[in-house]
Amino acid sequence: MSTPQTFSALQVMQDAPVIPVIVLNDVAHAVPMARALVAGGIRMLEVTLRTPQALACIEAIAREVPEAVVGAGTVRSRSDAQAAANAGALFAVSPGYTSAVGQACRDVGLALLPGVASGSEIMMAQEDGFTQLKFFPAMQAGGPAMLKAWSGPFFDVQFCPTGGVTLQNAPEFLALPNVVCVGGSWLVPTDAVAAGDWVRVTALAQATHALRKSASISA
Ligand code: 3PG
């Protein structure tokens, strides 16, 4: 009941060390999956718009799991942003950046984490006022070394690396001063969802909390 209705991109990033990237094929899985993540201490949930059921899943989580803050991933167009907001998403994540998507998210009141993979894309997002960005695909596009290189010219940008990030390599990212959190699909494995193994999802969520500590020790 007391959950605030708006979140900034920074608040979305700061809530936990990992934003789970979720792909759901069955709306019946949405609520138990969200409850399992919340039970493991993860409440910012990125449900990707990659399946026909994604919007219905966002709607179900927004309605039935008030402890969760559901966002939409894979937002690539104005209509994606509009549909996500209508379904009850409170933030958006995009795999790349266009000014049209940035403006659309503003128009519908969604905090946006725009995806970038190059200096030019960072500059375009910054020109439009976005300084918290998703680095995607993080491992494929240069990994921690790329973020170190960007920390000079883009000293005022904060990143959420996503793509190829795992429980094993996450500490290397989280130890970087320009990384606030990481994103990853490993918290919600396809086979666990198919089997309804919510205990495993909760355990995977719980395991991510050690990341913040080990990151600050090695920082
Ligand atoms: C995605 O959008 O697919 C995310 O980057 C997830 O990548 P991962 O499966 O490598 O975590």
Side-chain angles (χ1 to χ4, degrees):
M1 311 302 132
S2 60
T3 308
Q5 286 307 294
T6 59
F7 293 87
S8 67
L10 188 58
Q11 285 173 315
V12 171
M13 289 167 89
Q14 283 177 330
D15 209 61
V18 185
I19 298 175
V21 177
I22 301 159
V23 181
L24 291 170
N25 290 294
D26 185 345
V27 72
H29 292 146
V31 167
M33 184 279 317
R35 289 194 178 126
L37 288 170
V38 167
I42 303 278
R43 63 179 193 138
M44 297 290 169
L45 315 182
E46 177 191 337
V47 177
T48 56
L49 302 185
R50 291 181 201 180
T51 63
Q53 299 78 11
L55 289 167
C57 291
I58 290 172
E59 216 170 274
I61 296 167
R63 189 178 57 239
E64 293 181 45
V65 193
E67 308 84 0
V69 178
V70 65
T74 324
V75 171
R76 297 176 299 161
S77 64
R78 174 168 284 276
S79 61
D80 284 346
Q82 184 68 65
N86 289 348
L90 294 177
F91 65 93
V93 183
S94 58
Y97 181 69
T98 65
S99 289
V101 163
Q103 189 56 50
C105 288
R106 286 212 170 97
D107 290 346
V108 298
L110 287 178
L112 172 66
L113 269 179
V116 295
S118 73
S120 300
E121 291 161 12
I122 295 171
M123 287 167 64
M124 284 189 269
Q126 271 197 297
E127 264 177 21
D128 290 349
F130 296 96
T131 51
Q132 280 89 34
L133 308 176
K134 163 177 164 166
F135 174 30
F136 175 78
M139 281 309 284
Q140 297 86 341
M146 187 70 140
L147 287 158
K148 279 181 203 156
W150 281 344
S151 68
F154 302 116
F155 56 87
D156 49 357
V157 176
Q158 293 163 305
F159 293 96
C160 169
T162 306
V165 181
T166 63
L167 186 63
Q168 290 67 40
N169 66 17
E172 207 188 331
F173 284 102
L174 289 164
L176 299 172
N178 56 348
V179 170
V180 178
C181 68
V182 299
S185 62
W186 84 85
L187 272 72
V188 187
T190 314
D191 58 337
V193 173
D197 189 353
W198 310 124
V199 172
R200 183 168 158 219
V201 172
T202 297
L204 288 165
Q206 279 166 341
T208 66
H209 295 290
L211 287 174
R212 183 89 75 199
K213 274 193 212 133
S214 52
S216 60
I217 289 164
S218 61

